[in-house]
């Protein structure tokens, strides 16, 4: 394990970039989004169609028929076969073309690309790059705490993925963008940063600080509280925030929650923002404990789409100014730049 404490060591000169790592696993859907309907979704610039066969197995094919390039998602499922909606070529879950109209012989080149796919913990992961390099052991292994109350969602983001990663690795912005969870101390408290291989940790611990409105509402706490944020980032696109809040000085477990983000590039300038949250509460059908999280996601969306428009409208080569709170974000950029460099060499 390598401890990183000196900003000068970790300054990645890369500004928020639009490079996309292809040789990586990405969260592509929550399990309940994929059914025996054809679901088109672009992942890391690859058009894909997702569906389940009759035994429940999920599959992802290139959403482009090899015949005349019609989107397969505009066809239909005939049993377990995808039938192209233009001239009826039929494909199995591996992408093998099993029949074409008007002849018995099926050309080998009629097969369509299928993508490596793994389903776990209610998450569907795909590998858009070189399938020979797809090692399922590299998928972030973050089970939901099943007895906790949880919810998931998908917020389309019209901004490049690196802006959302910057945002999530530097939570000082909570003070200025999120009145429900921010307080002055978030921006004022220094962070600790640590890289452990492909995983980055960013930690902030606050003692005797103000209780923001959302925590007062969800946990019944009043100021002052102790509050910790421990970020676990799996480059290039998965993120878990471990949160603890408790009455100041309380050494018990406190109130715990996990916030998860799958940050999946769609194109160079659009991103699938998969978010989920779980709390150490039993499910209660009469309460809605996650409305604050949806507001937080929306507040970030508005800010990041504004930033994306500004970057596109007025590009310049002036280096950004970085300060101590940026150490996590800068190291995250470095990790992604390393992956892009490695991919270029593979
Ligand atoms: S385009 Fe798909 S069968 Fe012709
Ligand atoms: Fe935010």
């Amino acid at each position: 394990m390598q401890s990183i404490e000196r900003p000068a060591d970790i300054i990645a000169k890369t500004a928020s970039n639009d490079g996309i790592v292809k040789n990586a696993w990405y969260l592509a859907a929550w399990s309940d989004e994929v059914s025996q309907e054809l679901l088109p979704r672009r992942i890391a610039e690859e058009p894909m169609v997702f569906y389940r066969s009759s035994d429940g197995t999920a599959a992802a094919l290139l959403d482009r028929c090899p015949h005349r390039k019609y989107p397969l998602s505009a066809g239909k499922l005939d049993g377990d076969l995808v039938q192209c909606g233009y001239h009826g070529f039929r494909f199995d879950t591996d992408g093998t073309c099993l029949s074409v109209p008007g002849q018995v012989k099926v050309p080998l080149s009629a097969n369509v690309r299928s993508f490596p796919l793994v389903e776990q913990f209610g998450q569907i992961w795909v590998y858009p790059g070189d399938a020979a390099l797809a090692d399922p052991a590299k998928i972030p292994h973050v089970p939901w705490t099943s007895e906790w109350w949880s919810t998931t969602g998908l917020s389309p983001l019209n901004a490049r993925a690196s802006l959302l990663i910057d945002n999530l690795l530097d939570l000082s912005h909570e003070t200025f963008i999120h009145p429900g969870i921010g307080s002055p101390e978030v921006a004022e408290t220094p962070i600790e940063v640590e890289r452990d291989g492909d995983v980055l940790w960013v930690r902030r611990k606050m003692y005797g600080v103000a209780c923001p409105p959302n925590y007062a509402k969800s946990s019944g706490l009043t100021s002052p509280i102790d509050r910790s944020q421990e970020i676990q980032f799996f480059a290039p696109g998965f993120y878990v925030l471990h949160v603890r809040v408790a009455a100041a000085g309380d050494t018990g477990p406190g109130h715990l929650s996990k916030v998860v983000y799958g940050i999946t590039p769609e194109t160079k300038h659009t991103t699938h923002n998969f978010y989920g949250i779980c709390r150490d509460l039993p499910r209660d059908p009469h309460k809605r404990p996650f409305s604050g999280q949806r507001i937080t996601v929306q507040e970030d969306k508005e800010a990041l789409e504004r930033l994306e428009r500004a970057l596109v409208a007025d590009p310049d080569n002036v280096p950004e100014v970085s300060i101590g709170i940026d150490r996590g974000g800068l190291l995250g950029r470095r990790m992604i730049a390393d992956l892009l460099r490695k991919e270029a060499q593979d």
Side-chain angles (χ1 to χ4, degrees), residues 65 67-70 84 86-89:
C65 180
H67 180 222
R68 291 293 179 266
K69 309 201 176 187
Y70 197 71
C84 180
Y86 198 179
H87 313 96
F89 282 36

Side-chain angles (χ1 to χ4, degrees), residues 90-104:
R90 285 147 51 97
F91 306 90
D92 69 8
T93 52
D94 294 330
T96 305
C97 183
L98 296 182
S99 68
V100 298
Q103 61 185 58
V104 174

Side-chain angles (χ1 to χ4, degrees), residues 12-345:
K13 297 296 181 193
T14 335
S16 287
N17 67 75
D18 56 11
I20 293 179
V21 178
K22 295 259 198 175
N23 287 337
W25 290 95
Y26 286 104
L27 181 55
W30 298 112
S31 287
D32 58 11
E33 293 184 278
V34 177
S35 66
Q36 286 182 279
E37 304 283 324
L38 298 175
L39 172 70
R41 181 162 291 168
R42 186 176 292 270
I43 303 292
E45 297 193 300
E46 299 290 347
M48 299 186 191
V49 55
F50 293 85
Y51 64 99
R52 288 186 192 280
S53 52
S54 51
D55 68 358
T57 307
L61 302 180
L62 187 69
D63 193 13
R64 187 185 300 138
C65 180
H67 180 222
R68 291 293 179 266
K69 309 201 176 187
Y70 197 71
L72 291 177
S73 57
K76 67 173 189 180
L77 262 183
D78 181 10
D80 286 347
L81 301 183
V82 175
Q83 180 172 299
C84 180
Y86 198 179
H87 313 96
F89 282 36
R90 285 147 51 97
F91 306 90
D92 69 8
T93 52
D94 294 330
T96 305
C97 183
L98 296 182
S99 68
V100 298
Q103 61 185 58
V104 174
K105 191 164 164 41
V106 178
L108 265 184
S109 56
N111 294 344
V112 69
R113 182 178 176 193
S114 69
F115 294 91
L117 183 150
V118 172
E119 183 165 14
Q120 61 178 21
F121 313 127
Q123 307 154 1
I124 289 178
W125 292 79
V126 290
Y127 196 91
D130 180 352
L133 301 176
D135 176 2
K138 295 206 167 153
I139 300 175
H141 191 86
V142 182
W144 285 105
T145 309
S146 58
E147 68 274 23
W148 289 9
W149 196 355
S150 63
T151 191
T152 57
L154 168 57
S155 175
L157 178 67
N158 288 315
R160 67 199 77 182
S162 62
L163 296 188
L164 181 55
I165 294 170
D166 279 353
N167 170 284
L168 292 170
L169 289 179
D170 173 15
L171 295 179
S172 69
H173 76 271
E174 286 183 353
T175 301
F176 305 98
I177 284 188
H178 303 304
I181 53 174
S183 70
E185 296 92 348
V186 181
E188 288 164 6
T189 305
I191 53 170
E192 293 169 18
V193 180
E194 177 185 304
R195 180 175 182 175
D196 182 7
D198 286 338
V199 179
L200 169 64
W201 287 93
V202 182
R203 299 185 176 90
R204 176 183 275 111
K205 297 194 174 170
M206 297 163 274
Y207 300 98
V209 299
C211 182
N214 286 12
Y215 289 119
K217 198 168 145 200
S218 63
S219 306
L221 293 169
T222 55
S223 301
I225 62 168
D226 293 341
R227 180 178 179 191
S228 65
Q229 302 171 322
E230 295 194 78
I231 294 167
Q232 190 180 16
F233 175 62
F234 302 79
F238 195 66
Y239 172 103
V240 187
L241 171 62
H242 306 263
V243 175
R244 176 185 180 271
V245 290
D250 179 350
T251 55
H255 302 270
L256 307 176
S257 55
K258 280 192 225 177
V259 186
V260 165
Y261 286 88
I263 306 147
T264 303
E266 179 187 37
T267 67
K268 282 185 185 302
H269 296 268
T270 59
T271 304
H272 303 292
N273 180 5
F274 295 97
Y275 64 91
I277 182 169
C278 64
R279 285 214 47 204
D280 57 347
L281 293 172
R283 186 171 286 276
D284 179 343
H286 303 296
K287 287 190 181 165
R288 296 179 62 240
F290 302 119
S291 54
Q293 180 64 19
R294 281 186 261 277
I295 292 168
T296 299
V297 168
Q298 184 62 25
E299 288 165 343
D300 282 327
K301 175 179 167 68
E302 288 168 16
L304 297 179
E305 291 184 351
R306 183 176 297 121
L307 177 54
E308 175 71 37
R309 289 193 297 272
L311 292 175
V312 170
D314 295 304
D316 64 30
N317 293 319
V318 179
E320 295 170 317
V321 175
S322 294
I323 59 173
I325 57 166
D326 296 308
R327 287 186 302 145
L330 291 171
L331 190 47
R333 290 182 187 182
R334 167 66 60 85
M335 292 165 77
I336 291 172
D338 288 348
L339 291 173
L340 285 167
R341 198 174 306 114
K342 180 169 184 307
E343 191 168 296
Q345 291 163 356

